[in-house]
Amino acid sequence: MNFLAHLQLAEPHPASIFGAILADFAKGVDVTQYPIAIQAAVARHRAIDRFTDHHPHRRQFLPRFSTQRRRFAPVALDVYDDYLLIQHWQHFYPSPADQGFAKLYCQLNALLQQPPASMPASMQRTVNAMVHYRWFEHYQSRDGISQALDQIANRIRFANQFSGIMQEIDLFADDLDQSFLDFYPALQAHVLQLGDELTAFIAHSS
């Protein structure tokens, strides 16, 4: 899952919001240096990713990508799932999507003003951009998602043919759409079953 879904599935307190994003910037970072509540949120993020990676919603579509783009396919599907979440927002949440975005931007602004722990520079840049450029509004359209994917591909440091991957997604977009309607409720139920982040983390660590 990408940023929007992880933030929506996080618990409503700063440590959880912080950890839900930190997990994507934790390579080379000693996560144990952070408060235990943030460690728990990172662990929850990773549990969500494991569930997603092993769910048919993800596994059945990866082979449909061309060989030259398949390496980038998991990232593309993560981002595209945020688009699908917005398209079907009313199925999963009682408030309109724009109200959800406004709440998240407030939470992210609060993280920038008073982070509960030291924020890696790359994470700070991303959160700043997320708020300043209103990423979630861009995720509402097919063109916005396509641009986001091409920008990610362009930032990759090795030569690749990942740009234009949206053209491949278009070939099975209807199937992805229907699959997401089954997948996301299953993910929400899985997160509920995992229980409180901190309690689950302490139990697993002991």
Side-chain angles (χ1 to χ4, degrees):
M1 303 304 292
N2 202 47
F3 292 118
L4 177 59
H6 275 295
L7 289 169
Q8 280 298 114
L9 294 168
E11 295 179 356
H13 56 81
S16 184
I17 300 296
F18 188 99
I21 303 174
L22 175 65
D24 283 328
F25 300 90
K27 186 176 181 179
V29 174
D30 180 10
V31 176
T32 62
Q33 69 178 315
Y34 287 94
I36 191 169
I38 292 177
Q39 295 181 49
V42 171
R44 179 58 51 87
H45 176 120
R46 291 170 175 169
I48 289 169
D49 282 350
R50 284 193 299 272
F51 180 87
T52 302
D53 290 343
H54 290 88
H55 194 277
H57 175 66
R58 182 53 41 83
R59 297 174 69 89
Q60 68 177 308
F61 293 109
L62 291 176
R64 300 203 193 184
F65 287 87
S66 62
T67 54
Q68 68 265 29
R69 289 193 172 115
R70 196 166 298 162
R71 184 176 178 182
F72 190 59
V75 175
L77 291 176
D78 276 348
V79 176
Y80 193 76
D81 275 348
D82 271 1
Y83 165 78
L84 292 175
L85 175 57
I86 296 170
Q87 299 308 303
H88 299 293
W89 190 275
Q90 71 277 7
H91 289 279
F92 312 122
Y93 298 107
S95 301
D98 58 350
Q99 291 183 20
F101 300 163
K103 180 179 179 181
L104 290 176
Y105 291 137
C106 285
Q107 292 171 326
L108 294 173
N109 265 319
L111 283 188
L112 293 170
Q113 298 302 318
Q114 285 190 304
S118 177
M119 190 181 297
S122 57
M123 176 178 166
Q124 186 173 15
R125 288 194 299 270
T126 297
V127 175
N128 264 310
M130 206 181 300
V131 175
H132 181 76
Y133 294 107
R134 315 294 287 186
W135 280 15
F136 305 138
E137 281 82 355
H138 289 290
Y139 286 0
Q140 292 183 94
S141 70
R142 184 258 184 214
D143 287 345
I145 284 291
S146 181
Q147 291 172 9
L149 289 172
D150 285 348
Q151 287 169 0
I152 295 170
N154 290 336
R155 289 197 297 269
I156 295 174
R157 295 179 180 177
F158 58 85
N160 64 79
Q161 297 176 303
F162 298 151
S163 292
I165 198 169
M166 193 67 194
Q167 297 171 12
E168 296 196 14
I169 293 176
D170 285 339
L171 298 175
F172 47 89
D174 289 344
D175 292 341
L176 268 170
D177 187 88
Q178 290 302 309
S179 176
F180 188 83
L181 289 172
D182 293 327
F183 162 71
Y184 196 74
L187 177 59
Q188 288 178 302
H190 178 66
V191 171
L192 285 175
Q193 186 178 21
L194 291 174
D196 176 77
E197 280 180 357
L198 185 56
T199 302
F201 181 74
I202 292 173
H204 181 76
S205 302
S206 60

